[in-house]
């Protein structure tokens, strides 16, 4: 008799846009395989054309510029093994329920990203005095239910974080070009911060002299200390300590006796 083998699979939360959890309880390697990396999207996947293989840097810089894919890969590079976690991970466990994708424990994955330190690119463009934030816009866009207009997904970083030696514009994941669904051709990687900062399908970088007020910066991904007020709200940034038990699985039946409890833990400040 042939035995059927069970294999892990992504858990689908939604298909339009596509949001799927990683089978984190079954993964044992430090590097999450491409097919098991969780998927988080706000809009439909963008169409990629050859003209999109260019990264634009503009705004409060001495020399606005466009860098092609072939030019980018000739810059000095670095590789970083880093976890990326959706800030809504474990939201399904909240009581009472809160708005948003109902992630359980699988909105986190880890891999080795290769790319160019963002500082190299900003130094080449030349930051002008008064630069306060860097805004990163991807190619994915669409309508939001709370506004009557379309938006590109865009987030900003304080200049200090943008210039951090480990903030990179990545073009490879686990030794291969970044998969289309994970941000090909360019993805910003911001170690230590939740993954909304690691903008996929990166197309434009704008240097500004004020605080960015896009909806994914000031409405979503924000801590609200008070339920009925915006007072003292602040953006979500660093990954908090988190963990999950991989074995035994929740609700599994085990034999009486001694068992090894296995799990993983991670934090933004401990990515090294």
């Amino acid at each position: 008799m042939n035995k059927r083998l069970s294999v892990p699979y992504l858990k689908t939360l939604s298909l339009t846009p596509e949001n799927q959890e990683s089978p984190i309880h079954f993964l044992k390697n430090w590097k999450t395989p491409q097919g098991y990396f969780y998927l988080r999207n706000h809009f439909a996947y963008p169409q990629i054309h050859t003209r999109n293989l260019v990264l634009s840097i503009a705004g409060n810089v001495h020399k606005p510029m466009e860098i092609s894919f072939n030019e980018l890969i000739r810059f000095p590079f670095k590789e970083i093994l880093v976890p990326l976690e959706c800030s809504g991970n474990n939201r399904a466990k909240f009581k009472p329920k809160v708005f948003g994708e109902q992630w359980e424990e699988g909105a986190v994955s880890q891999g080795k990203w290769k790319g160019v330190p963002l500082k190299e690119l900003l130094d080449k463009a030349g930051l002008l005095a008064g630069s306060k934030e860097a805004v990163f816009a991807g190619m994915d866009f669409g309508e939001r239910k709370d506004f009557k207009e379309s938006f590109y997904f865009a987030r900003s970083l304080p200049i200090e974080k943008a210039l951090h030696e480990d903030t990179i514009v990545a073009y490879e994941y686990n030794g291969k070009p970044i998969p289309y669904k994970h941000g090909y051709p360019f993805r910003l990687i911001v170690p230590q911060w939740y993954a909304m900062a690691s903008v996929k399908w990166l197309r434009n970088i704008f240097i500004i002299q004020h605080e960015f007020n896009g909806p994914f910066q000031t409405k979503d991904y924000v801590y609200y200390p008070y339920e009925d007020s915006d007072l003292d709200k602040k953006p979500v940034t660093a990954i908090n300590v988190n963990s999950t038990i991989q074995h035994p699985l929740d609700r599994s039946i085990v034999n009486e006796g001694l068992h090894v409890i296995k799990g993983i833990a991670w934090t933004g400040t401990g990515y090294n």
Side-chain angles (χ1 to χ4, degrees):
M1 180 181 294
N2 292 328
K3 294 183 179 180
R4 293 185 177 180
L5 299 178
S6 296
V7 295
Y9 57 88
L10 293 173
K11 177 184 175 182
T12 302
L13 275 68
S14 65
L15 290 175
T16 309
E18 187 174 28
N19 289 290
Q20 300 199 51
E21 287 195 28
S22 171
I24 191 171
H25 297 96
F26 299 92
L27 302 181
K28 296 180 174 60
N29 297 326
W30 283 100
K31 298 178 184 178
T32 304
Q34 171 187 329
Y36 290 143
F37 201 105
Y38 82 98
L39 297 168
R40 174 63 175 118
N41 293 288
H42 296 84
F43 306 121
Y45 291 108
Q47 294 184 358
I48 306 297
H49 303 286
T50 54
R51 64 177 179 272
N52 297 140
L53 302 181
V54 173
L55 181 63
S56 170
I57 302 177
N60 196 50
V61 295
H62 176 71
K63 181 183 177 183
M65 58 194 307
E66 289 192 338
I67 303 172
S68 71
F69 184 90
N70 289 332
E71 290 172 329
L72 187 75
I73 62 177
R74 290 198 290 267
F75 274 80
F77 68 86
K78 70 184 314 178
E79 294 180 308
I80 303 174
L81 182 68
V82 60
L84 293 182
E85 181 182 20
C86 177
S87 63
N89 202 21
N90 293 300
R91 185 181 286 131
K93 300 177 181 179
F94 286 14
K95 294 182 179 179
K97 293 292 185 182
V98 296
F99 174 79
E101 295 291 343
Q102 297 301 301
W103 301 103
E104 292 187 350
E105 298 172 317
V108 58
S109 301
Q110 177 170 268
K112 179 171 285 187
W113 301 88
K114 177 180 178 180
V116 178
L118 178 61
K119 185 179 186 303
E120 292 275 350
L121 304 180
L122 297 184
D123 285 348
K124 187 175 181 64
L127 295 179
L128 295 176
S131 296
K132 185 172 184 177
E133 294 190 354
V135 180
F136 306 89
M139 289 183 278
D140 50 329
F141 71 97
E143 294 182 352
R144 289 174 54 105
K145 295 180 180 179
D146 51 351
F147 290 94
K148 295 182 179 179
E149 54 186 305
S150 294
F151 293 87
Y152 283 90
F153 183 83
R155 289 276 305 182
S156 76
L157 293 177
I159 284 296
E160 295 75 18
K161 186 65 175 176
L163 294 176
H164 189 282
E165 62 181 358
D166 289 339
T167 300
I168 66 173
V169 175
Y171 51 82
E172 284 188 8
Y173 173 73
N174 287 350
K176 297 181 179 180
I178 295 176
Y180 165 65
K181 288 189 175 183
H182 296 289
Y184 175 85
F186 309 121
R187 179 170 186 170
L188 184 70
I189 296 295
V190 185
Q192 302 180 330
W193 283 29
Y194 283 106
M196 76 282 153
S198 295
V199 176
K200 294 177 288 186
W201 307 292
L202 183 61
R203 180 65 177 84
N204 297 297
I205 300 174
F206 301 95
I207 305 302
I208 59 177
Q209 297 175 282
H210 53 84
E211 292 184 355
F212 178 56
N213 62 358
F216 295 103
Q217 187 82 17
T218 58
K219 187 172 179 62
D220 296 349
Y221 303 110
V222 174
Y223 290 120
Y224 292 93
Y226 307 104
E227 184 176 354
D228 56 354
S229 171
D230 287 352
L231 183 66
D232 294 333
K233 72 176 184 179
K234 60 180 181 179
V236 173
T237 56
I239 297 175
N240 295 311
V241 176
N242 203 351
S243 63
T244 188
I245 293 175
Q246 294 180 293
H247 179 82
L249 292 174
D250 188 28
R251 302 180 185 275
S252 62
I253 298 175
V254 297
N255 295 327
E256 183 178 355
L258 296 176
H259 294 270
V260 176
I261 298 175
K262 297 181 179 180
I264 54 176
W266 59 93
T267 175
T269 56
Y271 76 99
N272 283 330

